[in-house]
Amino acid sequence: MTTVYARVGSPLGELLLAGEERAGGEVALASLSLPGQKGAAVVREAWRHVPEAFAPLAAQLAAYFEGRLTRFDVTYAEGVGTEFQRRVWSALDTIPYGETVSYGQIAARVDSGGAGVRAVGTAIGRNPLLVVRPCHRVIGADGALRGYAGGLECKERLLGLEGALAVRR
């Protein structure tokens, strides 16, 4: 499969979208990176710049940032992450817009066994699809904002947009 990418403007800065181009031109999203993000994707020489392939997602992102969209309709690339990470990321997809959950609650949802909250936090930190897979909705058990690959300021802005800022740092 060919990796395609586009850059999309947002209130958070320029987002980098990367995905796998499938037959018929459909793109399965593999990465959505924020400016300055820890572990962000980097455009590679073999990638093709195909902004039109991401037009539907760009429209969804614009609607989200305007407060008109509460749930993304995105096809994710398969085979990204470990089995445990995929379970954690799937649990993130169930957190409703405007709500927050704790790392411990996610650990309980995925039956993390002996891995616990720390392993869940690590898996969340490796989420390659910021914004669309809502890891920003996971907070500390005490209600405090905890790590976010895009930075705590960005996490705070996203939660503020969603009306979920009953949290304290």
Side-chain angles (χ1 to χ4, degrees):
M1 281 186 220
T2 302
T3 300
V4 294
Y5 76 95
R7 297 184 191 280
V8 175
S10 83
L12 305 175
E14 189 176 70
L15 308 177
L16 173 61
L17 312 177
E20 298 171 351
E21 189 174 41
R22 296 182 173 175
E26 181 191 16
V27 172
L29 188 65
S31 175
L32 189 158
S33 300
L34 302 173
Q37 174 186 329
K38 177 181 159 187
V42 176
V43 175
R44 298 175 191 228
E45 193 174 312
W47 291 10
R48 287 191 3 225
H49 184 242
V50 187
E52 61 274 10
F54 295 94
L57 178 55
Q60 288 183 60
L61 286 162
Y64 170 80
F65 286 117
E66 292 168 2
R68 298 183 293 110
L69 182 82
T70 60
R71 186 159 181 82
F72 291 95
D73 182 16
V74 179
T75 301
Y76 298 142
E78 297 174 10
V80 177
T82 67
E83 187 273 328
F84 178 73
Q85 288 171 333
R86 288 191 300 270
R87 282 194 353 246
V88 171
W89 298 340
S90 181
L92 297 176
D93 289 333
T94 68
I95 306 169
Y97 179 93
E99 295 183 22
T100 58
V101 300
S102 71
Y103 291 90
Q105 288 171 303
I106 293 293
R109 286 183 190 183
V110 299
D111 189 26
S112 64
V117 174
R118 209 171 270 246
V120 165
T122 299
I124 291 171
R126 293 199 174 125
N127 171 21
L129 301 171
L130 300 190
V131 183
V132 297
R133 180 176 284 141
C135 57
H136 59 276
R137 297 178 188 155
V138 183
I139 62 174
D142 61 356
L145 299 185
R146 302 269 185 251
Y148 186 64
L152 287 181
E153 180 182 317
C154 183
K155 183 173 191 165
E156 188 170 32
R157 288 183 71 187
L158 291 169
L159 291 173
L161 171 73
E162 296 183 9
L165 262 184
V167 296
R168 291 176 186 55
R169 284 218 264 185

